[in-house]
């Protein structure tokens, strides 16, 4: 086979429409392996926990890296946090890959402190915003969290945050991998000044050849050798990239840009909150306003406590405000024609296998990618919130009504 011959087609999660078939070649796949192995810090011997579904390039490429470097891979058929702790202890594993929701599940295991994880050196994570509190918790346990940023279209790698800088710059997803160029650009591809938010563009030999049978998408996404990611980020004067959100997820409220991931990150820093998702909703006054869905682990947590917590951490126009209502929220779902672009938190996705029309027939062991389905009915949203609880999660919502 030639370098440019197709090796496989990997479908994206379809966050901006229908899933697209990403064509990777023998050449792009090999460069994905070379890029990761040249950048990530592997030890000898490395004993790696593989617990993500391999139909995601972020899970498949690292396994190829393990073969390339001679590391041992322990593959879980399905992810279960208790079994993961047991496997780490029994097999004396040293590393692994989990998305943030899975890391969160690991910490929710009763008495997880009783397991022996002393051999674990690092866990790579990505595919969704990584709450600072989550990184700090694992690092307090002696496990370095290496945050990776990448896409199906990049065969995995784009940016990597090394363990040394993870504490110093917890909001960052790191610098570009070796053999990879990353820039923050305006709509026309012009590189933006340091600290200014723009779209992430990525370039390297590991970039996909094309979208299968999607010429319009190819023309829009592949520009002069660069891949337009659709993600918003800023780059600091040291070259560290901080992802803010998807461009299409941005909420414009009263002319101000609100990135849901930023608000979610603040909410997730509260010890009484397990998960948070922020979505945009129509507002007669502001055009759009943010709506937060919060999964509480503290029954006594009140609206006023959450508001007070957010006050000194977010600009006023980004702060959620009352009223604060429980998940039986049929009273607010009064406009069946309103369109909401909703980010369902990974933990809610992972709980639900019974909503195929919304979640694409996800199964709990395979539902940890950060999907953003389009919800076109507020009544569907209300039902989603209620059924997602499944008796397992206490879900509340709060909605801004004033500034």
């Amino acid at each position: 086979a030639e370098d440019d011959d197709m090796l496989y087609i990997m479908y994206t999660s379809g966050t901006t429409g229908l899933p697209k078939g990403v064509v990777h070649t023998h050449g792009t796949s090999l460069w994905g392996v070379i890029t990761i192995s040249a950048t990530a810090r592997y030890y000898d011997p490395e004993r790696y926990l593989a617990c993500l579904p391999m139909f995601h390039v972020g899970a498949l490429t690292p396994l190829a890296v393990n073969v390339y470097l001679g590391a041992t891979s322990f593959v879980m058929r399905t992810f279960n946090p208790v079994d993961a702790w047991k496997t780490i202890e029994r097999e004396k594993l040293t590393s692994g890959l989990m998305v943030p929701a899975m890391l969160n599940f690991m910490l929710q295991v009763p008495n997880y402190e009783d397991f022996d994880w002393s051999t674990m050196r690092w866990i790579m994570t990505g595919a969704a915003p990584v709450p600072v509190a989550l990184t700090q918790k694992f690092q307090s346990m002696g496990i370095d969290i290496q945050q990776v940023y990448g896409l199906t279209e990049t065969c995995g790698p784009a940016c990597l945050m090394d363990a040394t800088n993870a504490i110093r710059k917890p909001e960052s997803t790191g610098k570009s991998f070796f053999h990879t160029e990353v820039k923050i650009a305006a709509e026309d591809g012009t590189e933006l000044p340091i600290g200014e938010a723009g779209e992430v563009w990525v370039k390297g030999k590991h970039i996909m050849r094309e979208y299968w049978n999607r010429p319009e998408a190819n023309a829009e996404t592949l520009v002069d050798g660069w891949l337009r990611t659709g993600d918003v980020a800023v780059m600091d004067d040291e070259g560290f990239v901080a992802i803010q959100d998807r461009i299409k997820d941005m909420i414009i409220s009263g002319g101000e840009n609100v990135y849901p991931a930023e608000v979610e990150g603040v909410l997730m820093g509260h010890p009484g909150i397990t998960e948070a998702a922020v979505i945009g909703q129509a507002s007669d006054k502001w055009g759009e306003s943010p709506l937060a869905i919060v999964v509480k682990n503290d029954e006594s947590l009140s609206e006023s406590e959450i508001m007070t917590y957010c006050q000194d951490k977010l600009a006023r126009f980004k702060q959620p405000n009352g009223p604060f209502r429980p998940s039986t929220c049929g009273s607010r779902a009064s406009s069946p024609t309103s369109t909401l672009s909703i980010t369902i938190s990974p933990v809610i996705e992972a709980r639900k296998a019974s909503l195929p029309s919304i979640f694409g027939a996800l199964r709990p062991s395979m539902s940890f990618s950060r999907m953003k389905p389009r919800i076109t009915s507020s009544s569907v949203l209300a039902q989603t919130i209620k059924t997602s609880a499944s008796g397992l999660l206490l879900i509340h919502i709060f909605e801004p009504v004033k500034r």
Side-chain angles (χ1 to χ4, degrees):
E2 299 297 327
D3 285 352
D4 198 44
D5 287 343
M6 181 195 300
L7 178 61
Y8 61 80
I9 299 177
M10 185 78 73
Y11 276 81
T12 68
S13 60
T15 59
T16 58
L18 293 174
K20 296 184 286 289
V22 174
V23 176
H24 276 294
T25 67
H26 290 265
T28 62
S29 300
L30 177 60
W31 274 103
V33 169
I34 292 172
T35 296
I36 293 175
S37 61
T39 311
R41 186 173 184 179
Y42 278 70
Y43 297 83
D44 186 22
E46 197 72 74
R47 299 170 66 81
Y48 178 96
L49 178 63
C51 51
L52 280 168
M54 297 175 203
F55 56 73
H56 289 300
V57 73
L60 181 62
T61 301
L63 289 180
V65 173
N66 290 350
V67 173
Y68 182 75
L69 295 176
T72 301
S73 298
F74 289 83
V75 181
M76 296 182 69
R77 183 174 295 275
T78 59
F79 173 74
N80 178 290
V82 176
D83 291 341
W85 281 124
K86 289 179 179 178
T87 303
I88 290 170
E89 181 178 71
R90 182 182 65 250
E91 302 295 342
K92 301 186 184 304
L93 302 185
T94 61
S95 60
L97 173 67
M98 298 183 188
V99 299
M102 298 164 76
L103 293 174
N104 199 2
F105 291 155
M106 296 288 281
L107 298 180
Q108 294 179 39
V109 172
N111 302 316
Y112 71 87
E113 301 92 343
D114 295 339
F115 290 101
D116 180 7
W117 62 74
S118 59
T119 58
M120 283 294 287
R121 291 188 286 252
W122 58 268
I123 297 176
M124 194 173 287
T125 189
V130 184
V132 174
L134 195 62
T135 298
Q136 293 173 334
K137 176 61 179 177
F138 271 90
Q139 294 199 329
S140 72
M141 297 160 58
I143 301 174
D144 289 332
I145 297 298
Q146 298 186 23
Q147 184 176 346
V148 63
Y149 165 67
L151 303 89
T152 306
E153 291 87 341
T154 67
C155 204
C159 295
L160 180 69
M161 171 57 84
D162 64 282
T164 302
N165 287 298
I167 296 177
R168 186 170 69 92
K169 292 180 176 288
E171 74 289 346
S172 173
T173 191
K175 298 182 178 181
S176 59
F177 278 79
F178 283 121
H179 313 300
T180 306
E181 295 180 59
V182 173
K183 69 177 180 179
I184 309 302
E187 176 68 23
D188 62 0
T190 303
E191 190 164 1
L192 294 173
I194 295 299
E196 187 170 334
E199 185 179 2
V200 181
W201 291 40
V202 183
K203 189 176 186 180
K205 294 183 178 180
H206 49 85
I207 301 299
M208 68 171 185
R209 187 181 75 186
E210 62 183 339
Y211 290 121
W212 183 248
N213 291 334
R214 297 289 293 273
E216 298 85 0
N218 291 330
E220 179 182 342
T221 306
L222 299 171
V223 181
D224 297 329
W226 290 88
L227 172 78
R228 297 185 60 173
T229 67
D231 292 320
V232 179
V234 296
M235 183 181 291
D236 67 15
D237 57 2
E238 297 180 65
F240 288 91
V241 175
I243 304 296
Q244 296 186 327
D245 220 310
R246 295 287 294 171
I247 289 176
K248 293 183 180 294
D249 285 350
M250 183 177 69
I251 301 166
I252 302 178
S253 184
E256 299 284 357
N257 294 342
V258 179
Y259 295 103
E262 179 185 3
V263 184
E264 291 164 358
V266 170
L267 291 168
M268 284 291 294
H270 194 291
I273 295 175
T274 301
E275 287 287 344
V278 174
I279 62 177
Q281 62 177 344
S283 169
D284 292 338
K285 183 175 183 179
W286 303 110
E288 280 188 298
S289 60
L291 169 72
I293 303 168
V294 176
V295 180
K296 304 194 303 180
N297 57 37
D298 180 357
E299 178 66 28
S300 65
L301 183 62
S302 68
E303 169 195 353
S304 60
E305 289 177 293
I306 296 176
M307 300 308 143
T308 300
Y309 177 78
C310 291
Q311 281 178 0
D312 62 348
K313 298 175 178 63
L314 292 168
R316 184 167 176 79
F317 66 89
K318 299 177 182 179
Q319 293 175 16
N321 210 334
F324 191 63
R325 303 188 182 102
S327 60
T328 53
C329 57
S331 60
R332 79 154 302 275
S334 58
S335 175
T337 60
S338 65
T339 299
L340 302 177
S341 178
I342 181 169
T343 302
I344 299 294
S345 63
V347 71
I348 295 174
E349 289 185 311
R351 299 294 192 189
K352 285 313 298 168
S354 60
L355 295 173
S357 63
I358 297 175
F359 298 107
L362 297 176
R363 297 198 297 277
S365 61
M366 297 182 176
S367 58
F368 299 105
S369 62
R370 190 182 181 215
M371 301 182 72
K372 304 174 183 66
R374 301 291 298 183
I375 304 296
T376 58
S377 167
S378 292
S379 61
V380 173
L381 171 62
Q383 184 62 29
T384 299
I385 294 172
K386 288 189 287 186
T387 56
S388 292
S390 298
L392 299 173
L393 305 173
L394 178 63
I395 300 180
H396 283 67
I397 64 170
F398 53 98
E399 171 185 7
V401 295
K402 60 183 179 180
R403 293 178 189 269

